[in-house]
Amino acid sequence: MHDFAQSVGNLMVESFHYLALFGIGGITAWASVVAFLGMLEKGHITVDDILLLFIYLELGAMVGIYFKTNHMPVRFLIYVAITALTRLLISDVSHHHRPDMGVVYVSGAILLLGLAILVVRYASSRFPSVQAPMRLGREQEREAGEA
């Protein structure tokens, strides 16, 4: 009975994951198309608009990577945050035309997120969560095939 309940529970959790991923992927694609059509309707595209499209691209890539690997790529979330802060910084400077402490704060946040990516990349290369199987040499593969 316990095994049956566990298999049904696993099926429900996986079904929810796939349903949620399809929903998030569809909403991201829809939002990017709506944003792109709005840019075309406006008649001109700003740097803010381009960075918004990059945010949609990164979110879509994150959903795709989760589909393929079943792991949440934390780095992509940090990339989205960096792009969003860069968009905020460019928008703030282009609209107000005067630098103030807000520019320094946002720049510092971007720097901290860049350092966080460096730490995450170093940690994932130094301490991988899943060990990749070692590749056999050609002779070892032949011997294994003969055995």
Side-chain angles (χ1 to χ4, degrees), residues 94-116:
S94 66
H95 289 99
H96 294 108
H97 302 293
R98 57 178 168 77
D100 57 1
M101 283 307 287
V103 172
V104 174
Y105 294 147
V106 173
S107 299
I110 293 171
L111 177 64
L112 284 174
L113 288 170
L115 291 173

Side-chain angles (χ1 to χ4, degrees), residues 14-83:
E14 246 184 81
S15 299
F16 174 76
H17 273 143
Y18 283 122
L19 183 64
L21 280 174
F22 275 117
I24 292 169
I27 288 170
T28 301
W30 181 39
S32 63
V33 167
V34 168
F36 182 74
L37 292 175
M39 291 173 209
L40 291 178
E41 186 178 299
K42 205 170 37 169
H44 67 281
I45 297 175
T46 64
V47 176
D48 288 345
D49 298 330
I50 295 169
L51 289 173
L52 180 63
L53 291 178
F54 269 110
I55 289 172
Y56 289 134
L57 176 69
E58 290 163 357
L59 289 172
M62 191 172 62
V63 169
I65 288 172
Y66 190 80
F67 259 120
K68 290 180 180 179
T69 65
N70 214 19
H71 294 291
M72 178 60 71
V74 175
R75 281 187 301 145
F76 277 80
L77 291 173
I78 299 172
Y79 293 147
V80 168
I82 288 174
T83 306

